[in-house]
Amino acid sequence: MTTNSRMQRRFAALKDENRAALVTFTTAGDPNYEHSLNTLLGLPGAGADVIELGMPFTDPMADGAAIQLGSQRALANGQNMVKTLQMVRELRKQDQDTPLVLMGYYNPIYRYGVDTFLKEAADAGVDGLIVVDLPPEHDDELCVPAAAVGIHFIRLATPTTDAKRLPGVLANTSGFLYYVSSTGVTGAAAPTPEKVQREVEVIRAHTDIPIGVGFGIRTPEQAARIAQFADGVVVGSALVDCIAGAQTPEAGTAAVLSLVSELSSAIRTAR
């Protein structure tokens, strides 16, 4: 893994600014390719520091209803891995600085072909992967090959990740560590910030890698509180809900970018 990647440069710059990153999640192709791409292209200007782009999958078992439905909308409108990688290429035509992470499940990558996927992802400008159903025991399948082509493998830690398990989680993690602040699926109610802060401090004693916190963060006020101690604040379901609740696809894009702007402003003044 390069020591001067786009991801590392972004977190180093934010550390100099003494603020957390706003990490946004939307699903590629939700509600359709055109409007999902418009949303993606607008995220950096609205204040997203790191972008997570979901790879739609028929059985997203770690996700709550909002993101499950987002995947269904995308798949129903023809989204596939080829189109998802094309969205990344389109972003890179106008933005060479914002790190982009593909997030999802191993099945679509496996079916696409790991070597082909990694080559095309690296060429397109993907900076990292979050693959929620590949534990450290299977690092040789995707994590190690991803690092070989310069793509970070971002691991998840949870409140149930104990001292015995943590070293394995951290071993090949790079870019940042995604701390899932609650057990259950995405979009679930968040625990108290004080409890999350204590848990993040325990992990920070074992690693220098940036730690992003997600699951259940929906409002600027919640984001600002998490930003006081985390290196990144991850918001996903609330953004996907903006798309689901909009009267038109154009209104969905506008709602997402408006909320991102509000979240960004809150995070920038949190410390």
Side-chain angles (χ1 to χ4, degrees):
M1 177 63 62
T2 176
T3 57
N4 189 31
S5 70
R6 191 160 23 219
M7 187 84 68
Q8 290 164 316
R9 293 195 300 271
R10 176 54 52 95
F11 275 104
L14 294 175
K15 185 176 181 180
D16 289 342
E17 295 177 27
N18 190 34
R19 71 172 179 89
L22 173 58
V23 184
T24 63
F25 172 92
T26 57
T27 299
D30 179 24
N32 56 50
Y33 181 89
E34 176 188 355
H35 293 95
S36 179
L37 177 60
N38 289 341
T39 301
L40 175 66
L41 297 179
L43 287 171
D49 298 299
V50 178
I51 294 170
E52 291 179 8
L53 186 63
M55 298 176 284
F57 180 47
T58 55
D59 189 24
M61 70 289 289
D63 292 305
I67 293 177
Q68 287 186 27
L69 292 171
S71 274
Q72 291 176 17
R73 288 190 296 269
L75 293 169
N77 281 302
Q79 188 70 17
N80 56 31
M81 190 67 77
V82 171
K83 292 181 178 180
T84 298
L85 292 172
Q86 183 58 33
M87 290 177 67
V88 180
R89 295 186 191 96
E90 294 298 329
L91 175 69
R92 290 292 171 236
K93 289 179 182 179
Q94 70 176 46
D95 186 311
Q96 285 292 323
D97 298 318
T98 304
L100 183 140
V101 176
L102 291 180
M103 183 173 185
Y105 299 83
Y106 186 44
N107 182 277
I109 296 171
Y110 179 80
R111 290 192 62 190
Y112 200 77
V114 170
D115 292 342
T116 300
F117 169 79
L118 289 176
K119 181 182 185 304
E120 293 186 11
D123 290 346
V126 171
D127 299 287
L129 295 173
I130 300 174
V131 182
V132 301
D133 56 348
L134 269 185
E137 289 77 9
H138 295 275
D139 275 357
D140 288 344
E141 289 199 38
L142 185 63
C143 173
V144 173
V149 297
I151 295 178
H152 293 283
F153 201 86
I154 297 156
R155 191 82 68 193
L156 278 70
T158 75
T160 60
T161 305
D162 59 21
K164 183 178 179 181
R165 182 68 171 169
L166 185 59
V169 170
L170 294 173
N172 289 318
T173 299
S174 65
F176 66 95
L177 179 73
Y178 186 160
Y179 182 70
V180 177
S181 62
S182 59
T183 56
V185 296
T186 57
T192 64
E194 292 75 19
K195 182 175 185 292
V196 177
Q197 183 171 2
R198 290 194 299 270
E199 292 164 345
V200 167
E201 288 171 353
V202 170
I203 296 173
R204 207 183 293 283
H206 296 272
T207 183
D208 293 329
I209 193 170
I211 300 173
V213 174
F215 276 48
I217 301 169
R218 306 187 66 85
T219 68
E221 293 76 19
Q222 290 173 327
R225 179 65 182 91
I226 298 297
Q228 291 175 357
F229 60 86
D231 300 301
V233 180
V234 186
V235 181
S237 294
L239 301 179
V240 176
D241 281 343
C242 289
I243 295 169
Q247 294 291 324
T248 65
E250 292 82 3
T253 292
V256 168
L257 299 183
S258 177
L259 180 53
V260 169
S261 179
E262 293 174 13
L263 293 163
S264 176
S265 295
I267 288 171
R268 287 171 185 267
T269 58
R271 297 181 185 174

